[in-house]
Amino acid sequence: ASIPYPSKTKKLIDFSNKVYVAPLTTVGNLPFRRIMKKFGADITCGEMAVATGLLEGKSSEWALLKRHPEEDVFGVQIAAGFADQFTRCCELLENH
């Protein structure tokens, strides 16, 4: 028997005609993203975080997922070598 997923309200994001900033590692830190918001970025995305580091509780990886209140639409980038790592990491983020 399959287990039903919990019902959650999902916010749909309209990406059309939006400025989306998703810089690569070491460029997209929080101060840079705040500057981009001041220059009109609608959507910001944090630097790439590694799933194993997040699962191990490394503060340096968790710091990559922090956002400022001005970042009203914010995305994260997660790298994982295996599907189960990615799944566990997503579950951790969902419950964090």
Side-chain angles (χ1 to χ4, degrees):
S2 65
I3 300 170
Y5 289 103
S7 62
K8 293 187 179 190
T9 303
K10 300 278 184 190
K11 179 182 176 185
L12 295 178
I13 300 171
D14 178 13
F15 288 92
S16 60
N17 299 315
K18 299 281 193 293
V19 175
Y20 181 72
V21 179
L24 299 173
T25 302
T26 70
V27 179
N29 59 27
L30 182 58
F32 175 80
R33 295 193 316 266
R34 289 187 67 195
I35 292 169
M36 292 296 96
K37 284 295 286 185
K38 290 186 188 302
F39 279 98
D42 299 299
I43 302 167
T44 55
C45 191
E47 298 176 70
M48 182 77 65
V50 179
T52 53
L54 294 169
L55 292 169
E56 292 170 358
K58 291 186 178 177
S59 59
S60 59
E61 291 299 319
W62 280 99
L64 300 174
L65 306 183
K66 290 185 180 176
R67 70 180 181 106
H68 190 270
E70 293 175 355
E71 296 180 282
D72 49 333
V73 181
F74 178 72
V76 298
Q77 300 181 73
I78 308 295
F82 302 96
D84 65 316
Q85 287 177 336
F86 192 71
T87 301
R88 286 184 288 139
C89 187
C90 289
E91 288 171 346
L92 178 63
L93 293 174
E94 182 72 20
N95 297 319
H96 182 67

